[in-house]
Amino acid sequence: MKRAALALYYGAISLSFGLPWLLYLARRIAVDHERPLDAVRSLRLVLFGPGENLFLIAVLNAVPFLTFALAALLHLGTAGAGVARRRLWGLAGAGLAILFLNGWLLIRYFFDPSHAALAPLALPFTTVALPLGYGLGRLAAQKVPPVSLY
Amino acid sequence: MSTREILGHLAVLPALLGLGALFFIHETGPAAIPRLLATLDSPRRAEREIATGRLGQMGRAAASAAPALAAVALRDLDSSAAYALGEIDLDGARDLARRVIPLLGHASVETRRKTVSLLGGLGAAAKIATPALLRALEDSDKLVRMHAVSALARIGIPRTAIVPALIGALDDPDSSVRYQAGTAFDFSMPANSQLEAARSAPARPRDPAAEGRIAAWKSRAEQAIRDDRDVEVHIYLLTRSRPTDLLLTVLRSAGAKEERIHPLHELAKIGPRAVKALPAVVAVLGDENPFLRYLACEVVAAIGAAAKEALPALEPLSRDASPAVRESATGAVAAVQGARP
């Protein structure tokens, strides 16, 4: 479980800032047909650019992801063998919930900004989905029989 | 995992956040200026505009970028560079305006269009270009006239020359110019359904329905200007307090001086009724920011004879280090004493 806890912890930290920037790069390359190097260069410019400010968007996005990262490390990292599986399922549910919600908000913002200009403001509030996703994950853990990986 | 292991991994988080904070400071402070200046030569227009926008956001902290911005603005007649310069360097912006004014008589329509846009980008600092822009309202090219309307609305001073010209532009033969003139009054008119209908109406020449809406709009604009109904709002913005505590608060207010640029500019557009804000404006006359001193002088000039209590504070500004402030102070003294500047 140590590996899983660390993977969730560092994965969430990476996605906290990385998710909006990756989606921005995807838009520049797929929609604006920019070369990857040009897209990366423009990313650095718009991090604090008027109207874009991707740094602020990343900070807003980081709220649920960093909360999740701390939960993963403290909740799963300290779990004994008896409860680790259920906790892992719970955290997987919570992680999927914020990944889905924030990913959806960011895709709406980057790929259809005319209709979703305010979407980034909702990013930190998806934190409330963490306990819900956790509960659903724990519920799923009860329904799915344990599978030995050995 | 042991407690020691968990604490070790937890320590990574504040370390990363600290790095993020350092990156933020590096990218938004003066250290970013050389890289932004290098971007001004990018072949990509979007990148140039972001770089100029960010320099403009830095305001006077980006003073070292002013000569390069002026050079780019002059070389390419780039209005975004002019906009940034107008935010950074009052005298540099004024000097640029003086240098491009002759281009309003250029044979190339494209040059004239770019020049009026550039002058509008400079904002209040380009007051010196107002007479030339008023003449540009007679240009044969409708886009030059349209951009001139927009530029005059953005410069906004002297109000006595610009407001009649904008009202006159509501009768321009071209519907797009009339439309632009209508939007110019947004700064002093509350939005309502009729204005919104006029704004969203397709600007078709000689469309009877559109003409009717534009006529109604014009009538409302004239009434709003007669009423000067937004004066309280502008004073509120200047003092950033409740209207009842206006003057006392402004005397105590010390921070966020740049936030006063916009309300001062708006007060200068209001005219004599801005006299309610005079004590607050007089306090700004001694500010260390030349843009604030300049705009405060413009407000006093717009108030005119009723601003006699500003004369002692104006007197030292006739020897101000900034040529723009000196000229504006001289004009303000003349306006208060009854002689038109």
Side-chain angles (χ1 to χ4, degrees), chain B residues 8-263:
Chain B
H9 290 293
L10 273 180
V12 173
L13 196 54
L16 286 174
L17 292 175
L19 279 176
L22 283 177
F23 179 70
F24 176 84
I25 292 166
H26 181 266
E27 289 289 311
T28 55
I33 291 174
R35 193 169 57 79
L36 293 173
L37 284 177
T39 310
L40 293 180
D41 291 322
S42 164
R44 300 155 66 82
R45 182 184 170 84
E47 286 186 3
R48 292 200 305 272
E49 286 185 354
I50 291 172
T52 53
R54 284 191 52 193
L55 287 167
Q57 271 184 337
M58 288 183 192
R60 291 200 305 148
S64 62
L69 282 170
V72 169
L74 193 59
R75 182 191 68 200
D76 303 334
L77 294 180
D78 184 334
S79 57
S80 64
Y83 183 91
L85 184 64
E87 300 286 314
I88 293 169
D89 181 6
L90 170 66
D91 287 305
R94 184 168 164 273
D95 185 53
L96 177 65
R98 194 194 300 278
R99 292 171 75 175
V100 300
I101 285 170
L103 296 177
L104 289 174
H106 199 278
S108 159
V109 168
E110 194 57 32
T111 301
R112 298 203 302 277
R113 288 173 184 170
K114 284 184 171 180
T115 305
V116 286
S117 293
L118 183 152
L119 288 167
L122 290 171
K127 177 195 172 191
I128 194 172
T130 297
L133 285 169
L134 292 173
R135 288 194 295 276
L137 290 175
E138 306 299 322
D139 197 284
S140 57
D141 181 70
K142 68 179 182 184
L143 283 180
V144 171
R145 297 201 302 278
M146 193 177 83
H147 290 316
V149 164
S150 174
L152 285 166
R154 179 140 201 279
I155 293 169
I157 47 177
R159 170 188 182 272
T160 46
I162 288 177
V163 171
L166 291 180
I167 291 175
L170 288 166
D171 291 322
D172 190 278
D174 185 79
S175 57
S176 57
V177 179
R178 297 197 297 277
Y179 184 80
Q180 189 69 43
T183 61
F185 288 108
D186 278 354
F187 72 83
S188 59
M189 293 186 66
N192 59 35
S193 57
Q194 200 165 2
L195 278 168
E196 288 305 318
R199 179 183 293 150
S200 59
R204 288 192 302 253
R206 303 301 161 216
D207 173 346
E211 292 300 321
R213 283 191 288 265
I214 287 172
W217 198 348
K218 178 182 174 184
S219 160
R220 285 178 174 275
E222 288 171 335
Q223 187 58 48
I225 291 160
R226 277 196 294 275
D227 292 352
D228 270 340
R229 66 175 73 132
D230 277 357
V231 68
E232 293 290 350
V233 174
H234 296 310
I235 295 171
Y236 171 76
L237 285 171
L238 177 67
T239 57
R240 297 186 299 124
S241 180
R242 287 176 297 135
T244 46
D245 295 332
L246 297 177
L247 305 179
L248 188 60
T249 305
V250 78
L251 289 172
R252 291 173 179 167
S253 175
K257 288 176 178 174
E258 271 67 22
E259 288 179 16
R260 298 192 195 172
I261 288 177
H262 175 69

Side-chain angles (χ1 to χ4, degrees), chain A residues 2 9-10 34 44 77, chain B residues 1 5 9 24 27 44 50:
Chain A
K2 180 181 167 184
Y9 178 66
Y10 286 108
E34 282 194 356
R44 191 172 175 195
Chain B
M1 289 170 74
E5 275 181 304
H9 290 293
F24 176 84
E27 289 289 311
R44 300 155 66 82
I50 291 172

Side-chain angles (χ1 to χ4, degrees), chain A residues 6-73:
Chain A
L6 291 180
L8 289 178
Y9 178 66
Y10 286 108
I13 289 175
S14 305
L15 284 176
S16 65
F17 275 67
L19 185 63
W21 297 348
L22 284 174
L23 288 172
Y24 172 80
L25 291 175
R27 187 197 76 190
R28 298 305 291 240
I29 294 167
V31 179
D32 303 336
H33 306 294
E34 282 194 356
R35 289 179 304 176
L37 266 180
D38 286 338
V40 170
R41 210 174 52 181
S42 73
L43 169 64
R44 191 172 175 195
L45 264 178
V46 299
L47 277 180
F48 305 99
E52 296 267 9
N53 213 328
L54 286 193
F55 191 84
L56 177 64
I57 289 173
V59 169
L60 294 174
N61 185 64
V63 174
F65 280 92
L66 293 185
T67 308
F68 174 80
L70 288 173
L73 187 67

Side-chain angles (χ1 to χ4, degrees), chain A residues 1-9 68-81 83-85 87-88 91 134, chain B residues 1-7 9-10:
Chain A
M1 277 306 149
K2 180 181 167 184
R3 270 190 185 170
L6 291 180
L8 289 178
Y9 178 66
F68 174 80
L70 288 173
L73 187 67
L74 299 175
H75 193 54
L76 193 59
T78 56
V83 293
R85 180 179 166 276
R87 288 190 182 181
L88 179 60
L91 284 166
Y134 183 85
Chain B
M1 289 170 74
S2 68
T3 307
R4 190 172 175 180
E5 275 181 304
I6 288 176
L7 287 175
H9 290 293
L10 273 180

